[in-house]
Amino acid sequence: MTADFKPVSSSKISISELMLPSHTNFSGKIHGGYILQLLDQIAFASASKFSGNYCVTASVDTVNFLKPIEVGELVTMKASVNYVGRSSMIVGIRVEAENIQTGAIKHCNSSYFTMVAKDNEGKSVPVPGLILSNLEEVRRFRKCIKQIESKKEVEEHARMTDVNSIEDLASLDQYNVHLEIH
């Protein structure tokens, strides 16, 4: 049985990995897909550690690639649960790359993954509540609330948009598209 509430600190995970030539894309930078794979792994570890259950990725809400990562840099990912719902958690992840010769560190990526706790039969299970211990944790929690509200607004707008109306089709003339609907 899990505790009713757990501190954010109980979800904290940090991993570091040296970036190798085998991780590069066609331009010689570290491939974004490889970083996404690592992000998914650390999100799983953080959510599972916090909830005490197997967790699955429900959505990747934000992935901001801020700066490219070079071969030979030491990449460190730091993750923690920033928000909890009934069975879901939003895991925030910060990615930094360090030039191991100079010691220079750059912030390369910020990501938010929504993870859901599952039981052995694959059914969603409740997660502990979140104990917020400082103002930074409160800020992160509030930011997640805003993200959830924005996501709901976008989904509602998409549901309400009538793509068959003349007005909607006419409004597309301001974009870089040419309609050839038959």
Side-chain angles (χ1 to χ4, degrees):
M1 188 73 177
T2 58
D4 289 333
F5 288 87
K6 287 174 126 179
V8 171
S9 61
S10 70
S11 71
K12 289 192 176 194
I13 299 269
S14 179
I15 60 169
S16 296
E17 184 172 328
L18 186 65
M19 294 295 107
L20 304 175
S22 61
H23 301 140
T24 59
N25 60 22
F26 293 111
S27 67
K29 307 296 182 194
I30 299 305
H31 196 288
Y34 183 69
I35 298 301
L36 281 170
Q37 179 183 347
L38 294 176
L39 289 167
D40 193 49
Q41 289 174 11
I42 195 170
F44 166 83
S46 176
S48 295
K49 181 179 178 186
F50 179 79
S51 69
N53 289 286
Y54 177 78
C55 293
V56 297
T57 305
S59 66
V60 179
D61 301 310
T62 307
V63 179
N64 292 321
F65 291 101
L66 306 172
K67 294 186 178 135
I69 299 171
E70 308 290 338
V71 171
E73 289 184 325
L74 183 65
V75 168
T76 299
M77 296 186 176
K78 299 173 185 174
S80 65
V81 171
N82 292 348
Y83 174 89
V84 295
R86 193 191 71 74
S87 62
S88 66
M89 299 151 279
I90 296 177
V91 177
I93 308 162
R94 181 180 174 92
V95 180
E96 295 176 338
E98 178 182 358
N99 179 314
I100 55 177
Q101 275 103 23
T102 67
I105 296 173
K106 61 186 175 184
H107 178 205
C108 297
N109 186 305
S110 290
S111 302
Y112 299 91
F113 280 57
T114 299
M115 308 297 290
V116 177
K118 300 287 186 175
D119 65 14
N120 292 337
E121 284 79 47
K123 291 186 170 64
S124 297
V125 294
V127 298
L130 196 58
I131 298 171
L132 304 175
S133 304
N134 59 53
L135 292 178
E136 181 60 19
E137 291 173 0
V138 172
R139 185 192 67 75
R140 289 179 180 155
F141 187 85
R142 286 210 165 279
K143 185 176 180 182
C144 290
I145 292 170
K146 282 288 190 203
Q147 283 178 310
I148 292 165
E149 289 170 356
S150 295
K151 191 174 175 181
K152 285 179 182 174
E153 285 177 22
V154 168
E155 289 168 356
E156 179 65 17
H157 182 267
R159 193 181 65 76
M160 299 292 286
T161 303
D162 179 9
V163 295
N164 295 320
S165 74
I166 297 298
E167 294 83 16
D168 185 63
L169 293 174
S171 73
L172 295 177
D173 67 356
Q174 64 184 309
Y175 299 99
N176 191 19
V177 297
H178 179 77
L179 295 176
E180 292 185 2
I181 298 172
H182 303 281

